[in-house]
Amino acid sequence: MPSEDVRRARPLGEEERTGKLAPNIPLSLYRGSVGKQRFVEIPAEVREQYQRWRPTPLVRAHRLEQALDTPARIYYKYEGANASGSHKLNSALAQAYYYKKAGVRHLTTGTGAGQWGSALSMACHALGLDCTVFMVRVSHEQKPYRRVMMQLNGARVIPSPSGTTEAGRRMLAEKPESNGSVSMANAEALEYAQSVEGGRFCVGSGENHVLLHQTVIGEEALRQMEAAGDFPDVVIASMGAGSNFAGLAFPFHREKLRTGAATRLVAVEPEACPKLTRGRYAWDYNDVSGTTPMTKMYTLGHTFVAPGVHAGGLRYHGAAPLVSALYDQGLMEAVAYGQQTVFEAGAFFARTENLVPAPESAHAVKAAIDEAVRAREERTPKVILFNVSGHGLLDLSAYDQYLAGQLEDHAVSDEQIAESLAALPDDEPAGVAS
């Protein structure tokens, strides 16, 4: 007899394939993300997996402080020491556990730079699930070793847009040379999941349950900062869909509410995909086909395709609804940087701290350096905490381009954003107030 989760997460019928999606997430996973309890216990099987590398280190960046001649005290949380090389494994293991418990046998997903795909392939391999990953085409070409990591763990990796799905064939017909986007990859993964027996789509960022899983980062950091005798004046993380930022920042936001601390929360995005700094707070879809339910988010429009910057994990068109709500209410800040200055900061960090950050994490490094320089100019000994959410050892070709002077900045024009925003849904979901 199938479990309640699986019976409710039935395969899609033909009438449900147009703009609607049958329940896909196991109810046990969904309940954990919408409950009113302050803390949700991590299942013992997932904790056992976490103990292979957690807790992750909190590092005082003494050499970076010295190089910047700043009175600021700089700390970074390092999430790149697990086998997948990024924070993504935190949610991949938890989701694979809940899906398997619900009777699912095959997970499909879309991935940008490949960090999420690498993590999910490892989690599926560890728990005995099949895995298919649609990888954004430009990242598939830029980062071949992430594809190899996925394949080593038994995953099938397909560059998106592809000829594998109807959605992919339609996209290729419209733009044969498309770089692809996470929105496109998700659309293909959603469709493909319907064709696989025992298959379900699994998302790597943005959804409540993913943000919940990643708060293990911030919860650890709170205790580690307490042990260090410090508390941050500013918490910084890069911003794709929001799991990395929320994972570090949300526990500190809770402490702000509890204690009245004046800690600032800063999300850092690329100028090539500025959903917070230049997007619109509106109802939108998570995938280009409009299959997913609409959510209210800061968005550039689900048809937006960002330029092919190397921070592929930050090229998603929208921000998580919970992060978007915080930004809309003025409870957090956002800043956007060009690719060149981000890699300059990443290279400086590599030389001072002897750690190569992923291009996504280099955005947080850049913001932390700017905060430290301001502290020097203002002669203020502020405390800075940021997240190095992944290592850059599989991104050395991008750093090679930086050293050779071959990197380009890719700021999108107002006209490009306006064209994409024009494709936003006309109507809000029934029964929902703005």
Side-chain angles (χ1 to χ4, degrees):
M1 187 72 177
S3 71
E4 179 188 17
D5 283 338
V6 173
R7 282 185 276 116
R8 296 196 180 213
R10 64 195 184 283
L12 297 184
E14 288 300 325
E15 72 281 4
E16 295 172 295
R17 293 179 187 270
T18 307
K20 295 182 180 179
L21 185 67
N24 182 81
I25 301 171
L27 291 177
S28 55
L29 187 61
Y30 175 75
R31 290 189 187 108
S33 69
V34 299
K36 295 182 178 180
Q37 64 271 42
R38 178 169 292 184
F39 296 100
V40 177
E41 184 176 2
I42 301 171
E45 294 89 338
V46 179
R47 290 202 307 272
E48 182 179 351
Q49 294 282 347
Y50 282 0
Q51 287 170 357
R52 292 157 50 199
W53 78 94
R54 305 212 69 90
T56 58
L58 179 76
V59 182
R60 174 79 180 270
H62 288 288
R63 287 169 294 184
L64 181 61
E65 294 172 6
Q66 293 167 5
L68 295 172
D69 190 25
T70 178
R73 299 189 294 281
I74 306 174
Y75 297 85
Y76 63 91
K77 183 74 165 159
Y78 182 49
E79 288 291 308
N82 66 64
S84 73
S86 82
H87 69 296
K88 294 290 189 179
L89 197 56
N90 297 326
S91 185
L93 283 166
Q95 290 196 61
Y97 163 81
Y98 283 110
Y99 276 101
K100 182 177 181 179
K101 186 178 177 183
V104 173
R105 300 188 299 278
H106 191 139
L107 290 179
T108 72
T109 197
T111 189
Q115 291 179 337
W116 168 245
S118 298
L120 187 64
S121 68
M122 290 179 178
C124 286
H125 178 71
L127 295 175
L129 301 176
D130 292 328
C131 182
T132 298
V133 179
F134 288 85
M135 186 175 184
V136 172
R137 179 174 296 279
V138 66
S139 293
H140 188 271
E141 295 169 357
Q142 290 174 341
K143 305 177 190 297
Y145 297 126
R146 290 230 173 89
R147 168 183 55 77
V148 173
M149 285 179 66
M150 296 180 232
Q151 292 172 329
L152 284 172
N153 282 278
R156 181 186 182 195
V157 185
I158 303 170
S160 174
S162 75
T164 304
T165 67
E166 182 180 340
R169 290 188 289 272
R170 185 169 60 251
M171 295 174 220
L172 286 173
E174 293 174 358
K175 292 185 178 180
E177 303 303 320
S178 174
N179 280 334
S181 69
V182 178
S183 178
M184 291 180 179
N186 283 346
E188 292 207 80
L190 278 160
E191 180 184 329
Y192 188 76
Q194 300 170 28
S195 68
V196 179
E197 185 176 355
R200 289 292 180 272
F201 171 70
C202 181
V203 68
S205 189
E207 298 295 333
N208 287 356
H209 59 275
V210 185
L211 273 54
L212 171 68
H213 300 156
Q214 295 296 354
T215 56
V216 66
I217 302 170
E219 295 293 352
E220 286 181 2
L222 277 168
R223 289 159 177 77
Q224 291 167 324
M225 291 295 296
E226 182 180 6
D230 255 335
F231 195 85
D233 296 301
V234 57
V235 175
I236 300 167
S238 58
M239 180 71 196
S243 70
N244 164 42
F245 172 78
L248 180 64
F250 276 13
F252 284 93
H253 178 63
R254 182 192 70 230
E255 292 305 297
K256 284 183 60 177
L257 297 176
R258 189 178 69 84
T259 67
T263 302
R264 295 163 48 224
L265 310 176
V266 181
V268 192
E269 59 187 13
E271 288 182 348
C273 194
K275 76 273 293 183
L276 289 175
T277 53
R278 295 173 65 193
R280 183 185 301 171
Y281 194 37
W283 290 95
D284 198 8
Y285 298 106
N286 294 311
D287 70 296
V288 73
S289 64
T291 302
T292 52
M294 285 190 288
T295 53
K296 194 167 187 182
M297 65 176 99
Y298 274 90
T299 180
L300 295 168
H302 60 283
T303 62
F304 179 79
V305 179
V309 293
H310 283 280
L314 307 187
R315 293 175 67 246
Y316 184 63
H317 68 277
L322 287 177
V323 175
S324 296
L326 253 64
Y327 189 62
D328 182 62
Q329 295 170 28
L331 299 173
M332 56 170 282
E333 306 167 30
V335 63
Y337 293 117
Q339 181 167 238
Q340 186 73 25
T341 190
V342 163
F343 271 84
E344 181 180 355
F348 186 71
F349 187 76
R351 289 192 295 269
T352 55
E353 292 295 311
N354 300 134
L355 174 64
V356 181
E360 293 81 5
S361 298
H363 285 72
V365 172
K366 168 60 178 170
I369 289 174
D370 284 357
E371 290 286 343
V373 170
R374 275 193 291 272
R376 182 184 69 207
E377 294 171 347
E378 297 168 1
R379 300 181 181 180
T380 305
K382 69 173 66 172
V383 179
I384 300 167
L385 170 64
F386 67 99
N387 197 19
V388 178
S389 55
H391 67 60
L393 298 181
L394 297 183
D395 301 285
L396 291 179
S397 62
Y399 279 96
D400 187 38
Q401 289 183 33
Y402 163 74
L403 293 172
Q406 297 172 350
L407 280 188
E408 298 179 18
D409 284 331
H410 294 279
V412 292
S413 68
D414 291 339
E415 291 74 20
Q416 288 173 289
I417 293 175
E419 180 181 358
S420 181
L421 289 175
L424 286 174
D426 293 329
D427 300 318
E428 298 176 357
V432 178
S434 297

